[in-house]
Amino acid sequence: MRDAEHEAATPRVHTRDGVLHVHPGESVLETLERHGHRVEFQCRSGYCGACRTPLLAGKVHYAAVPLAFVSQGECLPCCCQPVGAIKLDIRKG
């Protein structure tokens, strides 16, 4: 894999504060928490939708379909993983 292809495939989360690198198997919420972001959540399983966050760019993967409604252009950080790079409208609070 070329460097540009590897960089594009590397899971990372772009926020207003910078780029966060994702550990293998980690949810977006876990990545955000590890880097000091505080995100409101209740369930950590996609049930309640409390963590709903604007997804400005990129794609996420859900291991199981969340029960909470997710519109185009948003994600549930508690139960998704980034597919390559994603951009969230979020900052440390």
Side-chain angles (χ1 to χ4, degrees):
M1 188 181 289
R2 295 188 327 243
D3 288 344
E5 290 173 341
H6 177 69
E7 182 67 18
T10 302
R12 58 197 186 284
V13 178
H14 293 258
T15 69
R16 291 174 160 188
D17 301 305
V19 179
L20 315 178
H21 295 277
V22 180
H23 288 171
E26 194 172 55
S27 71
V28 172
L29 177 60
E30 292 165 335
T31 300
L32 292 167
E33 289 176 327
R34 187 168 45 79
H35 289 277
H37 289 266
R38 291 193 178 120
V39 178
E40 184 177 338
F41 69 91
Q42 296 294 321
C43 68
R44 289 190 183 263
S45 62
Y47 179 75
C48 71
C51 66
R52 188 174 284 111
T53 302
L55 177 63
L56 302 177
K59 295 181 181 181
V60 296
H61 169 74
Y62 297 94
V65 176
L67 294 176
F69 180 75
V70 184
S71 293
Q72 186 78 12
E74 53 184 31
C75 69
L76 300 176
C78 75
C79 61
C80 71
Q81 295 178 323
V83 177
I86 63 171
K87 185 174 183 180
L88 301 178
D89 186 16
I90 193 169
R91 72 170 20 147
K92 288 183 183 178

